[in-house]
Amino acid sequence: MRSKIPESHEASGEPPRALSLLERAATVYDFNQHVRARPPVPPVEPARAPEPAAEPVAAFEAHAPDSDDATFLAIPPELRAPIGQELPDEFHLPFVASDTAMIDRGMLAANGMMVPGAPVGPLAEEFRLIKRQLLITRAQIEASAVPDKARTILVCSARPNDGKTFCAINLALSIAAERDTEVLLVDADVAKPDVLQQLGLDDGPGLLDALADTSIDVETLVIRTDVPHLSILPAGDRTTMDTELLASARTRAVLARLLAADPRRIVIFDSPPALAASPAGVLAMLVGQVMLVVRADHTPESEVRAAVNRLDSCEHIQLVLNAVSFVPGGARFGSYYEQGGAR
């Protein structure tokens, strides 16, 4: 078997092979010089094992899960600040108490009263008619010798539960809608004040406090409301001398101060029932008009006559029939606004 290994030149007896051109150049030039001039390659560090993943942090449990704060519960969980990362107290703006009281519209609607800004309905239209007659009488009183009385109205009834406070509030809301008029509703039912409660407002010092303490400026006790042109004066702290305070000269001074504070102001008093308490007769001497509320099918004619006699110190007494029952399908003030089509 012949070997496949090539034989050497000496063994074969052949003359040695001549060097090629490249081989002869390699003996003269150093072709590996550029390789030796390269910087050394830094050693490659072995790959590190990956670190274990951090456990998830409960970042959105800003408060105890059993929190009953309605404001907090309204915030989506993903938007709540993590525990310990809440904003500092310095970030929050300080609370600034407003001198404007917010009347509860929902309470007005629940009690069947007019709601400021709501569409005109039968009740609003009926009180438009009532206030228009009162404003006409006001113009007549202004021509008399005591023009300031023209801006005062007493709302009264013969007996309790005839709806005098209901009518007083609705009348105040209706007149407040006038463009050039300011209304001050005074809770003068000092025995059972109810105006502020019906409006959803907090009670406070008022008329009786200003009458008892001459150092108090009654205008500082007036509550401005968010209903344009409407302010409220509470009854104040009750005493055993309420009627005597109302009959004193101080009452005239307080009323004069309220009228002088705003020339456009109309003062409406919600007084106790004429036949149930004596302050109504005292207040009737100070006002220009009395609006006597008579409850339909409830107040007998004899009591209406007795109430008018009790209030006769006021020359102008207007009667308002309250809680009238309407026949289904019959015409009623304000129904025109609810009709569609041609008019």
Side-chain angles (χ1 to χ4, degrees):
M1 182 174 179
R2 182 177 296 180
S3 173
K4 295 183 179 181
I5 299 176
E7 298 179 351
S8 64
H9 296 290
E10 285 107 357
S12 61
E14 295 179 0
R17 182 179 61 84
L19 298 176
S20 66
L21 179 61
L22 292 177
E23 291 173 335
R24 285 181 290 171
T27 60
V28 178
Y29 302 101
D30 188 359
F31 290 109
N32 293 328
Q33 181 180 4
H34 68 284
V35 177
R36 292 192 300 272
R38 292 178 180 177
V41 179
V44 179
E45 296 182 0
R48 297 181 180 180
E51 297 181 359
E55 296 183 0
V57 179
F60 300 111
E61 295 182 2
H63 296 268
D66 58 347
S67 173
D68 56 356
D69 184 359
T71 303
F72 165 72
L73 295 176
I75 302 175
E78 63 273 13
L79 300 181
R80 300 172 189 168
I83 296 177
Q85 300 184 21
E86 295 87 353
L87 294 174
D89 294 339
E90 296 79 10
F91 177 84
H92 301 282
L93 296 176
F95 173 76
V96 179
S98 173
D99 59 352
T100 301
M102 309 294 289
I103 289 180
D104 191 337
R105 268 71 167 176
M107 185 172 293
L108 290 177
N111 293 333
M113 298 185 184
M114 293 169 48
V115 178
V120 176
L123 182 64
E125 186 63 15
E126 287 161 3
F127 271 95
R128 279 179 171 176
L129 298 174
I130 293 171
K131 77 172 176 182
R132 197 58 56 199
Q133 182 60 47
L134 293 171
L135 293 177
I136 291 174
T137 305
R138 170 197 172 186
Q140 297 172 356
I141 299 174
E142 284 180 338
S144 66
V146 191
D148 282 345
K149 276 193 171 183
R151 296 193 283 137
T152 55
I153 302 173
L154 179 69
V155 180
C156 189
S157 63
R159 294 290 184 183
N161 303 318
D162 283 351
K164 64 174 185 60
T165 301
F166 174 87
C167 291
I169 293 175
N170 283 297
L171 177 65
L173 292 170
S174 184
I175 297 180
E178 295 289 316
R179 295 290 184 177
D180 303 319
T181 302
E182 296 288 333
V183 177
L184 174 61
L185 177 58
V186 180
D187 193 347
D189 190 347
V190 293
K192 296 181 179 180
D194 193 39
V195 170
L196 275 79
Q197 183 178 354
Q198 294 289 332
L199 298 176
L201 303 178
D202 296 330
D203 205 351
L207 176 62
L208 291 177
D209 301 279
L211 296 180
D213 188 349
T214 58
S215 65
I216 297 178
D217 181 5
V218 67
E219 190 64 25
T220 63
L221 306 179
V222 173
I223 301 174
R224 273 70 183 177
T225 73
D226 61 330
V227 175
H229 312 299
L230 177 63
S231 301
I232 309 294
L233 179 62
D237 294 330
R238 187 182 178 186
T239 69
T240 58
M241 305 290 290
D242 294 343
T243 302
E244 288 73 16
L245 285 174
L246 291 172
S248 66
R250 172 67 176 164
T251 303
R252 297 182 182 274
V254 167
L255 180 56
R257 173 72 177 99
L258 294 173
L259 293 173
D262 191 338
R264 303 185 306 165
R265 175 180 283 174
I266 292 180
V267 180
I268 300 175
F269 292 94
D270 176 30
S271 82
L275 301 183
S278 57
V282 174
L283 291 171
M285 297 186 296
L286 305 176
V287 300
Q289 298 184 74
V290 171
M291 188 177 86
L292 183 60
V293 179
V294 178
R295 188 178 181 89
D297 300 328
H298 180 269
T299 309
E301 182 181 351
S302 59
E303 291 189 353
V304 175
R305 293 182 180 275
V308 170
N309 292 333
R310 188 71 59 86
L311 304 170
D312 64 355
S313 57
C314 179
E315 182 180 354
H316 302 276
I317 300 178
Q318 318 281 353
L319 298 183
V320 172
L321 191 61
N322 185 35
V324 178
S325 298
F326 289 90
V327 178
R332 183 183 179 186
F333 288 123
S335 60
Y336 179 80
Y337 292 93
E338 303 173 354
Q339 298 173 0
R343 289 168 171 77

